[in-house]
């Protein structure tokens, strides 16, 4: 899997997030670029003053909309992830202020994806995790960050097994029977 980070960034300053994260992981950490293909085992960080969408497995950058009322960069990215990746989408909300991420996680859940939220008791700023939990959204896991890798690995293994077990296409007799049933 790939990791796309949408942290709160000051739109007027260069971010040091890529350099800081590069010291913490053996995976490549890149600033997201427009039309950049998404590769497994890579970390992408949104640049300041950009919105990020995922389309056909590529990162698409744009300027913030003129009227971004109710449309945060986090929700924008999560919505596009849900649309592009469906049940393969995974959305995580960590420590932060406001309700950022809640609307986007709802879209991921509706698409059949996985939703994780940092346990508010472990968050420096618990407003974002609490917003998700208080929204009524069914969250798959509420965990401290150090327990999230196990949940991610287990989900990726379930998706891989499910893909390998795809049922064969129905035969002509089955299709005819279904047509009769649907006709009734």
């Amino acid at each position: 899997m790939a990791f796309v980070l949408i942290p709160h960034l000051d739109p007027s300053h260069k971010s040091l997030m890529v350099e800081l994260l590069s010291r913490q992981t053996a995976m490549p950490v890149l600033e997201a670029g427009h039309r950049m293909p998404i590769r497994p085992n890579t970390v992408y960080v949104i640049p300041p003053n950009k919105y990020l969408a995922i389309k056909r497995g590529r990162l698409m950058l744009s300027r913030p909309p003129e009227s971004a009322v109710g449309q945060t960069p986090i929700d924008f990215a999560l919505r596009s992830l849900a649309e592009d990746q469906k049940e393969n989408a995974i959305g995580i909300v960590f420590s932060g202020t406001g309700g950022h991420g809640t609307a986007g996680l709802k879209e991921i859940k509706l698409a059949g994806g996985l939703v994780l939220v940092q346990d508010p008791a472990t968050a420096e700023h618990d407003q974002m995790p609490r917003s998700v939990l208080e929204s009524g959204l069914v969250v798959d896991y509420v965990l401290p960050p150090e327990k999230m890798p196990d949940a991610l690995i287990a989900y990726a293994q379930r998706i891989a097994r499910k893909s390998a077990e795809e049922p064969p296409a129905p035969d002509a007799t089955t299709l005819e029977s279904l047509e009769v049933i649907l006709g009734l």
Side-chain angles (χ1 to χ4, degrees):
M1 70 183 69
F3 301 87
V4 180
L5 302 176
I6 316 290
H8 294 286
L9 297 172
D10 183 331
S12 61
H13 290 92
K14 180 180 174 359
S15 171
L16 298 175
M17 187 71 67
V18 170
E19 292 82 4
L20 294 171
L21 289 173
S22 293
R23 296 182 206 151
Q24 302 299 317
T25 180
M27 290 186 284
V29 180
L30 307 170
E31 183 172 83
H34 186 61
R35 302 192 53 74
M36 184 179 278
I38 300 171
R39 304 276 183 239
N41 302 317
T42 304
V43 179
Y44 301 92
V45 180
I46 189 174
N49 205 31
K50 294 290 182 188
Y51 269 50
L52 181 143
I54 296 160
K55 303 278 186 200
R56 291 184 219 106
R58 290 186 174 271
L59 301 173
M60 308 300 281
L61 296 178
S62 61
R63 292 183 184 169
E66 294 290 326
S67 171
V69 177
Q71 179 78 303
T72 68
I74 297 168
D75 289 310
F76 184 84
L78 291 173
R79 282 183 178 124
S80 76
L81 175 64
E83 186 177 309
D84 189 69
Q85 293 297 308
K86 311 281 188 257
E87 70 275 356
N88 293 328
I90 300 171
I92 303 174
V93 164
F94 290 105
S95 174
T97 59
H100 305 259
T102 300
L105 289 182
K106 285 181 182 178
E107 296 299 320
I108 287 178
K109 198 64 187 163
L110 286 171
L114 180 71
V115 171
L116 289 90
V117 175
Q118 181 176 0
D119 181 344
T122 67
E124 184 175 344
H125 303 284
D126 68 358
Q127 289 177 348
M128 283 175 55
R130 285 198 187 286
S131 173
V132 175
L133 296 173
E134 292 170 0
S135 73
L137 177 67
V138 177
V139 173
D140 295 291
Y141 296 99
V142 179
L143 300 168
E146 64 272 12
K147 294 200 176 187
M148 289 186 182
D150 290 337
L152 292 173
I153 291 167
Y155 188 73
Q157 289 171 341
R158 278 195 308 272
I159 291 290
R161 278 194 304 273
K162 183 178 173 186
S163 295
E165 298 170 358
E166 288 292 319
D171 59 29
T173 305
T174 303
L175 288 175
E176 287 174 19
S177 298
L178 285 173
E179 286 179 20
V180 169
I181 292 169
L182 291 173
L184 294 173

